[in-house]
Amino acid sequence: MLLVAGRSLQPSAGLLAVFGGATWQASAVTARGLSSAASASPSEALLHVCVVGSGPAGFYTVDRLLKRYGDNVHVSILDRLPTPFGLVRSGVAPDHQDTKNVINQFGALAGDPRVSFLGNVRVGRDVALAELRALHHAVVLAYGAESDRRLGVPGEEGPGPGVLSAREFVWWYNGHPDARHLPIDLSKVTSVAICGIGNVALDCARALLAPAARYRPTDMAAHALAQLAGGSGVREVHLVARRGPVQAACTPKELKELLTECGVSARTSAPDQLDVSAADAAEMKATRLKRRVHELVSKAVADGAKQAAGGGGEARRELYFDFYRNPVEVVRGGPDGAVTGLKVERTVVQPGGGGGGGGAPVAVGSGQFEVIPCQLVLKSIGYRGLPLEGVAFDSRRGVVPNVEGRVLQAAPDAAAAAKPDLDSGLYVVGWLKRGPTGIIGTNLVDAEETAGALLADAPALLQARRGGAGGAPEGLAGLAGLLQARRVRAVDWGRWRVLDEAEVAAGRAEGRVREKVTQVGAMLRICGV
């Protein structure tokens, strides 16, 4: 049973049918079960690597390791969820199915005999990092950024609901188990304020404003589609940005998609919002993408003004560009602390570098305030990595400190004379390494660097563990035995494929790409573990 906005909904007939008959074959299709892995004998010549995280950064790292080390490496990929692919499954917008095609490449890697996937294994709960390091020559941390930057303003933390990060909202409509039961009821929301104007903010705006028909054939989670299709009261979305359109972080392609394909009418909160300063003009002249963003917003706002002046026609949902506005307070004037608005301060953009230029433009407060009426605030101002016990962490940047992917024993201190030593055998890749920047493909370059560092260190890593007191690392055989002894319900690649096929079959019955299972318990039942 699905819970949506306080109401219970039955799963589709297709998914119920698959649920009823999926556990049938789970045990039969396991490609490399834990029992067979546990009986494998380790080889001293084999480089055993464990990758923690099965998103793009993790899989690209595996790809680089296999291509550059051949048959002399075995990689175990762990994920805390039963499902692989990380950001591709839970972060990419449902209406961007082409972007998700990269899972075909990742799936081929996971099916390689030199690779083993183990889902539903939590590092720090089911197995300690120290144990993984003892069982492998190297461990690569690739678990991404699963937290968020805060606004740091009154009202952000409650009391009452109404404020979410964009990550949480994206996880909610993409069916991530952690966000399945977030208190989201769009039937009580007419206006949403999104703090930020990057591509993730546009993904959220598109989901809220576009006709539900756009998402019906996709893999959007059923509970989210039910709200957007029949229960959403959202009529306007405000994109709130501290700086102007020339400094917007979104890409022209994503912006054009929102403005031209979703049936929205664009507005600005003030007539001067699209004015171009001399500094803006210089940025636009130097960077075609910035010029294109300004052109798209200007045209959309002009078209929206003509539609409003003409009157009549089909009522459109409205997209407001609130440039030069800095959030200073979440206003909670409703019952039980419900959100009723976002208080913002008007800003003025000045050259960076302390007023002397040479840096990125900065937004400076003007002392003028206003309130944007809304019932839901989404924070799209950046992701942050989370620390892991036994690993140094840079809390300011939200990353694991490293040099070219080699993890340091402590975060660097600018005031210290000596740099921290390397934490031998421990590596990092992806957002956890560099921060939440770039697209999926950016991780390929990032993985090349980290894998290159690991492989350069491989002779020393092998030598250090050869003939030592603990003997050669056992790799997958030792890990599988440990998980079995602890009765961890690990999901290997064969069992994930059962769940994958069940979701696809259920979706096909509904005319959709797939119908995602959004509860871990249900996933494990289908997988047969």
Side-chain angles (χ1 to χ4, degrees), residues 121-129 131-132 479 482-483 486:
V121 176
R122 287 179 177 262
V123 177
R125 182 194 69 178
D126 300 318
V127 58
L129 176 63
E131 292 173 317
L132 292 179
L479 176 59
L482 185 151
L483 295 177
R486 293 177 181 173

Side-chain angles (χ1 to χ4, degrees), residues 357-414:
V362 295
V364 179
S366 68
Q368 296 177 290
F369 300 89
E370 59 194 55
V371 174
I372 300 171
C374 62
Q375 299 80 42
L376 175 64
V377 174
L378 300 180
K379 304 174 292 181
S380 186
I381 56 174
Y383 291 42
R384 285 177 55 85
L386 292 171
L388 179 65
E389 185 176 357
V391 183
F393 191 72
D394 185 337
S395 58
R396 182 181 64 84
R397 297 180 57 215
V399 300
V400 170
N402 68 94
V403 176
E404 297 178 344
R406 296 179 176 94
V407 173
L408 298 174
Q409 292 184 5
D413 184 349

Side-chain angles (χ1 to χ4, degrees), residues 89-170:
R89 180 177 170 98
S90 62
V92 173
D95 55 343
H96 288 178
Q97 289 297 312
D98 287 349
T99 304
K100 299 192 179 194
N101 287 338
V102 72
I103 67 173
N104 296 325
Q105 176 188 352
F106 297 160
L109 285 170
D112 190 291
R114 296 167 293 175
V115 178
S116 299
F117 170 77
L118 293 174
N120 197 44
V121 176
R122 287 179 177 262
V123 177
R125 182 194 69 178
D126 300 318
V127 58
L129 176 63
E131 292 173 317
L132 292 179
R133 298 185 71 174
L135 290 167
H136 300 84
H137 294 97
V139 174
V140 182
L141 304 176
Y143 59 84
E146 294 195 336
S147 184
D148 313 277
R149 292 179 58 193
R150 299 179 66 257
L151 288 172
V153 301
E156 180 178 7
E157 303 298 333
V163 178
L164 297 169
S165 69
R167 174 191 59 81
E168 291 174 310
F169 187 68
V170 169

Side-chain angles (χ1 to χ4, degrees), residues 411-434:
D413 184 349
K419 293 183 178 180
D421 292 333
L422 296 176
D423 197 342
S424 180
L426 191 60
Y427 301 83
V428 64
V429 70
W431 281 4
L432 191 63
K433 170 187 173 184
R434 70 179 187 273

Side-chain angles (χ1 to χ4, degrees), residues 479-524:
L479 176 59
L482 185 151
L483 295 177
Q484 277 190 314
R486 293 177 181 173
R487 300 184 181 276
V488 176
R489 299 170 71 185
V491 175
D492 65 18
W493 190 252
R495 293 177 186 273
W496 148 247
R497 290 290 294 130
V498 173
L499 174 58
D500 179 41
E501 291 169 7
E503 289 186 337
V504 171
R508 188 181 300 118
E510 300 290 328
R512 310 185 64 208
V513 172
R514 73 168 61 228
E515 185 168 340
K516 289 178 178 175
V517 181
T518 61
Q519 296 173 318
V520 169
M523 292 177 181
L524 297 179

